[in-house]
Amino acid sequence: MITGNFSYYLALLALIIIGVLVVKRVASCLVKTIVTLILVAIGVAIYYYNFR
């Protein structure tokens, strides 16, 4: 179970880093919102598949 939690947090950390880099490069508020929603959806999917 520790390995599952570690991989989940590692994937979440990677999502946060990628999200910050993408949002910094993009200027439009609409695109920032879309990127944020996509990252949240990916995070929820990772959580769902790891802990269901």
Side-chain angles (χ1 to χ4, degrees):
M1 192 66 173
I2 292 175
T3 309
N5 288 341
F6 181 71
S7 63
Y8 171 69
Y9 290 122
L10 190 61
L12 227 60
L13 182 64
L15 279 175
I16 291 170
I17 291 171
I18 291 170
V20 167
L21 291 176
V22 168
V23 169
K24 276 187 162 188
R25 305 233 185 264
V26 177
S28 173
C29 185
L30 180 62
V31 175
K32 287 181 185 180
T33 304
I34 292 171
V35 168
T36 304
L37 289 176
I38 290 172
L39 289 175
V40 167
I42 292 171
V44 167
I46 291 171
Y47 180 80
Y48 176 74
Y49 288 120
N50 278 339
F51 296 112
R52 67 176 171 141

